[in-house]
Amino acid sequence: MLAADVAGYSRLMGADEEDTLARLKAVRKALIDPTIAAHRGRIVKTTGDGMLVEFASAVDAVRGAVEVQHAMAEQNGSVPQDTRIEFRIGIHVGDIMFDDNDIFGDGVNIAARLEVIADPGGICISNDAYRQVRGKVEIVCDDLGPQPLKNIAEPMQAWRVRPVGQTPSAVTSGSALGETQALSLPDKPSIAVLPFQNMSGDLEQEYFADGIVEEIITALSRFRSLFVIARNSSFTYKGKAVDIKQVGREMGVRYVLEGSVRKAAGRVRITGQLIDTATGMHLWADRFDGATEDVFELQDQVTRSVVGAITPTLERAEIGRAVLKPTGSLDAYDHYMRGIASAYRWTSEATSEALRHYYRAIELDPEFATAHAFATTCYAWRKSNGWVTDAASEIAETKRLAERAVQLDQNDAQVLCWSGAALGLVCGEVDAGGALVERALRLNPNLMDAWLSSGLIRLLLRDWSIAIEHFAHAMRLSPFDPLLFMMQHGTAIGYFQTDRYDEAAAWSAKSIGENPNNSSAWRIMAASNALSGRQEQAQKAILRLRQIEPAARIATIKYAVPLSPSELARMEEGLRKAGLPE
């Protein structure tokens, strides 16, 4: 099986959609389709930027792939780097299943995953394919070692293909480096923001593009959890054709953000792509449009959107890396990331598992401030769901962890906001917690966590309308965040406390859609519907609540939710009408 796609397809389409489609169609007609047919291949299906091809043998597949890549390299010789159409190709030999005109199975999946880790213009093959073509095709293969492939249970041996006579690639035998010595990666997510390309030829847009990059670098630098390459180093690549993997090695970063700016007919289009330098895989891409007279407003919009989108993307990528890492080689940071992965399952058992990982991270690194802070969030989540068994002990431990986290790092906005929120939610120290959250917002106004924490503190202070505003700001910063359900649930609480039960029920439904196991959201859903006269929906919500939390009773609400007597009475009234037992 051969899987192929166009490297940087989103960037090419964002720059010039019509031209990219026309050139891709011409390449397929003149080069790719005839070459595949000449080597006894059958195109099973195509996507916008790629294709899946079945061959009679691995030898045919590799020969056809080499011929395609050689011809594409010759054709691209006179084409600017940023506008080249370059294919990545993955090849595997394995079992497949036929269904009508399509094929399925591990053979297909592995070929597709190998294509992802191939270089632009390159070919990556599995060990099974390598054994069948060794000595039969005029190629040299570089051993990449076992490679973790997405949704494939075990790491797989992979090989990089290059024609005989071609200079060895940057990595051979799984470890050796080429001419440029790679820098070691920091112990936290690392990123370089490359100069955005000016696609319009307008010098004014050059300054605008540089300004966007500087704003994004500044905004990302406020995240103490990130290692961000300084502007002067990133701009050494300005005006140069770059290999993203080479940038990763030279700068010692795991991720690169690149983009472009294009001006036409009074409009400005900005594109951005976040790339994993180890695999070349695009983790995130988006584009932004605005009027030329609003360039500064557009610049701010792009900065907010890019930072808000890529920070949770980086977190998900780092969680994936930690989970794939063999247990025997875990260190403090990996336990911390595993703790986040466990916490994001939102169950009682998973929360306890997350705490174990955070405590192990602290044991390995007693000065790991963020691990202390995130451990407090587990206690806050336990309290909000009524899972606390020893309240006095958990309050004392939350206070100890929060104070120690702040003592270790008073300038990390993430440490401050989560420690502050926990002090308020678990320990009842709302003023002290609020002061920490406010400091976090001053340090990093682009941090979604800080706006979410501020919304939670505002709920405790009974500033309902401000709480709703702060949750809305958090959602604007990170609309696809794993914590989105908390923002939506906080909004529902704000509306419930202002007697706007229809809005409360609607926002509860949104929160439940993101996290069906949030028992607190089901309580608001049940009470809101009951107080609005929708008894059937209220009773259904209670049934689901008791499935998630069998011990839920009217009498236990006061332990899970910090409410004033009048607020508690209204919540109890709604839940009683919905059918929750006393």
Side-chain angles (χ1 to χ4, degrees), residues 142-309:
D142 300 332
D143 184 0
L144 298 179
Q147 295 287 314
L149 304 178
K150 183 177 181 182
N151 295 334
I152 304 299
E154 298 292 333
M156 295 196 65
Q157 187 83 8
W159 299 80
R160 181 185 288 115
V161 174
R162 55 185 171 90
V164 171
Q166 187 182 83
T167 303
S169 52
V171 179
T172 59
S173 301
S175 62
L177 292 174
E179 296 179 1
T180 302
Q181 181 66 39
L183 295 175
S184 59
L185 293 170
D187 58 355
K188 55 185 176 180
S190 48
I191 184 171
V193 185
L194 298 184
F196 281 18
Q197 297 179 35
N198 177 17
M199 308 293 289
S200 62
D202 182 347
L203 187 60
E204 288 298 321
Q205 299 312 309
E206 190 82 21
Y207 299 136
F208 175 59
D210 290 351
I212 285 179
V213 173
E214 291 179 9
E215 291 285 340
I216 291 173
I217 290 174
T218 299
L220 287 174
S221 297
R222 292 180 173 178
F223 288 81
R224 296 286 290 269
S225 57
L226 298 180
F227 181 93
V228 184
I229 295 296
R231 183 256 191 216
N232 288 344
S233 295
S234 293
F235 270 68
T236 59
Y237 293 94
K238 187 174 175 64
K240 298 179 181 178
V242 297
D243 177 344
I244 294 298
K245 293 185 179 181
Q246 185 69 14
V247 171
R249 292 190 290 271
E250 292 176 351
M251 305 287 280
V253 294
R254 200 185 302 276
Y255 307 100
V256 163
L257 179 69
E258 64 174 4
S260 64
V261 176
R262 186 180 187 89
K263 177 185 175 184
R267 305 285 294 175
V268 177
R269 168 169 291 179
I270 302 159
T271 64
Q273 304 92 33
L274 180 67
I275 304 168
D276 186 322
T277 63
T279 64
M281 182 168 62
H282 283 61
L283 303 176
W284 168 87
D286 206 346
R287 70 184 187 191
F288 311 89
D289 294 284
T292 52
E293 60 266 22
D294 298 326
V295 290
F296 293 114
E297 180 180 336
L298 181 60
Q299 187 180 63
D300 290 342
Q301 174 200 336
V302 171
T303 300
R304 287 194 304 269
S305 300
V306 168
V307 172

Side-chain angles (χ1 to χ4, degrees), residues 1-2 28 36 41-47 51-55 96-104 108:
M1 292 308 309
L2 180 151
R28 279 204 52 189
I36 289 172
R42 179 179 74 90
I43 297 176
V44 178
K45 63 180 177 182
T46 62
T47 59
M51 64 181 64
L52 183 63
V53 186
E54 177 194 8
F55 283 89
I96 57 175
M97 296 177 290
F98 293 86
D99 183 11
D100 295 330
N101 294 320
D102 207 346
I103 55 177
F104 306 92
V108 176

Side-chain angles (χ1 to χ4, degrees), residues 361-393:
I362 293 168
E363 180 183 349
L364 291 169
D365 181 0
E367 297 187 353
F368 198 160
T370 317
H372 284 78
F374 272 54
T376 70
T377 67
C378 293
Y379 288 113
W381 185 241
R382 284 169 58 82
K383 180 173 181 180
S384 68
N385 284 279
W387 300 334
V388 176
T389 55
D390 185 343
S393 174

Side-chain angles (χ1 to χ4, degrees), residues 336-359:
Y336 163 68
M337 295 309 301
R338 285 173 181 255
I340 295 176
S342 297
Y344 281 178
R345 298 206 302 274
W346 311 116
T347 65
S348 177
E349 294 77 12
T351 302
S352 296
E353 181 183 322
L355 269 174
R356 288 193 292 273
H357 280 298
Y358 292 141
Y359 279 122

Side-chain angles (χ1 to χ4, degrees), residues 339 563 579:
L563 297 172

